[in-house]
Structure formats: structure tokens, C-alpha cells
Amino acid sequence: MVEATLNSGDHERIAAAIRAAEAETSGEIYCVVARRSDGYFFAAAFAVTLGILLVSLAAAFALEYWWVAVRLPHFVVVQLLAVAAACALLWWLPGLRLWLVPRRLLWRAAHANALRQFLARNVHLTSERTGVLIFVSLAERYAEVVADAGINAKVPQDTWDGIVRDLTTQARDNRLADGFVAAIATVGGLLSRHFPVSTTDVNELDDHLVEI
């Protein structure tokens, strides 16, 4: 996925797509893109520390095999210095952390962030429970559609999964704005089918993309 934030033209295109979709439905669509969903420092530091301990164990056996004597305090000091240097490197170069954290943990953090955004942005407080959050976390290469109970009860999970697949495919091709616009149009079509616009409809959520 792209690493750069979207420009003002992309934001306007996405906002216009939201307005066009909501003109046909009483449902609400909200879009959030996160640069990353967690810092991952401690998870990466744990992985590095474990790696250093395993390498140290192998080195200890090798030294024993070659009859090389190393005093235990010196061995421990070298281990501690290696861990400290590795943690300092992870602190100054946060991009390295993503290479050390399992993908399952990355996606779990991104999913948790999507749920936080769904609640924090009040997508769950629409009058008919028809709010839909379209969420992307760039660092984790993760996307999700979080739908409230009103619309989720009428749309099978496979449909949401298909929207996510199309969105991630376009994001991977550096067409994140196009992916959002297409996802918004598809979600808008689903909402208008089950919850068409009414004369008393009010706009309950802001019609723009939020970057965090």
C-alpha cells in the first residue's frame, strides 16, 4: 500500500463520493485511513531479544566446542549490550519494527484500531444503526469494513470481504483514493437498497476522509 498521505484532491474526491452515495440512502458512510495502528516497539524488542538469546546460546555451544574460555560476566555483558543496541536501533528506526512482528499481530492491532475508530467517530450512534466505516491502515497493509447492526444484518460477510479485497488491491497498486471511491460507491449501493433515503433524513456524520 502507499505510504504517503492523500492529497487535497484525493480528499475532495472521496468526500464527493460519500455525499453522492448518501444522497440515495438514509445510511451513513465514514472513512478513516491510519498511517499505522500501533508502535510495535515492545513486540519488536521482544523478538530481537529472543533472537539474541538464541544466537548467544549457539555461540556458547560453539565456544565450548572449540575450547574457547569466556568468563560468564563478560558473556552476559555482551548480551546486554547487544540487546541495548538493538532496542536503540528499533527506537530510532520504527520502520524496522514491522519486519519483526508477525503478520497476525499486525492485523490484530489494525482490527482493534478499526473498532476503536468505529466507536470514537460515533459510527455506531446513527438512528437506524446503519453506519458503515471503511478503514485502511497503511503500515499493516490492512483494510476493513465495519458495519453497524442495522445494515450488517442484511448484508452477508462475503460481500464486505469482497469490498475489502477490491480496496486492498487498488491500494497495493498505489491507487488508494480510487479504492476508497469504489468502496464508497459499493457500500452506498448496499445501503440504498436496504435503507433508501427518506424525506426526514439528516446527515449524522461528517462526509470526509479522516487521516490519523
Side-chain angles (χ1 to χ4, degrees):
M1 291 186 183
V2 293
E3 295 296 334
T5 54
L6 299 166
N7 59 42
S8 58
D10 294 328
H11 275 268
E12 181 52 41
R13 285 178 58 208
I14 293 168
I18 295 173
R19 290 191 294 268
E22 291 185 354
E24 305 295 328
T25 177
S26 59
E28 297 288 335
I29 301 172
Y30 203 90
C31 297
V32 174
V33 58
R35 183 168 291 276
R36 66 176 59 209
S37 290
D38 194 277
Y40 303 109
F41 175 77
F42 293 105
F46 174 79
V48 166
T49 302
L50 182 60
I52 290 173
L53 289 177
L54 292 176
V55 171
S56 299
L57 182 61
F61 278 109
L63 292 172
E64 179 70 18
Y65 178 79
W66 287 317
W67 290 51
V68 176
V70 177
R71 295 186 60 192
L72 181 60
H74 295 167
F75 193 79
V76 172
V77 167
V78 170
Q79 285 181 309
L80 293 176
L81 288 175
V83 170
C87 289
L89 189 63
L90 290 174
W91 181 264
W92 289 107
L93 299 174
L96 292 177
R97 303 171 195 171
L98 297 172
W99 296 94
L100 298 169
V101 179
R103 184 171 296 276
R104 182 175 63 178
L105 183 59
L106 296 177
W107 287 356
R108 185 184 302 169
H111 171 68
N113 193 16
L115 297 182
R116 284 197 302 271
Q117 297 303 316
F118 183 80
L119 298 174
R121 309 293 174 176
N122 295 326
V123 184
H124 64 301
L125 295 181
T126 59
S127 58
E128 296 184 82
R129 304 296 300 275
T130 56
V132 177
L133 171 70
I134 303 174
F135 174 84
V136 171
S137 193
L138 297 175
E140 294 82 2
R141 301 176 180 270
Y142 180 90
E144 184 173 355
V145 175
V146 184
D148 207 350
I151 182 63
N152 200 43
K154 298 178 181 296
V155 178
Q157 185 60 43
D158 287 348
T159 302
W160 302 127
D161 293 341
I163 296 171
V164 169
R165 280 194 301 272
D166 293 341
L167 176 55
T168 53
T169 296
Q170 295 199 64
R172 196 175 298 117
D173 295 335
N174 288 337
R175 294 185 292 114
L176 181 58
D178 294 338
F180 266 110
V181 169
I184 291 164
T186 304
V187 171
L190 294 170
L191 286 169
S192 63
R193 184 185 312 161
H194 298 288
F195 297 93
V197 67
S198 65
T199 56
T200 59
D201 179 58
V202 295
N203 191 18
E204 299 178 78
L205 298 175
D206 293 335
D207 299 335
H208 63 260
L209 172 74
V210 174
E211 291 193 62
I212 58 175

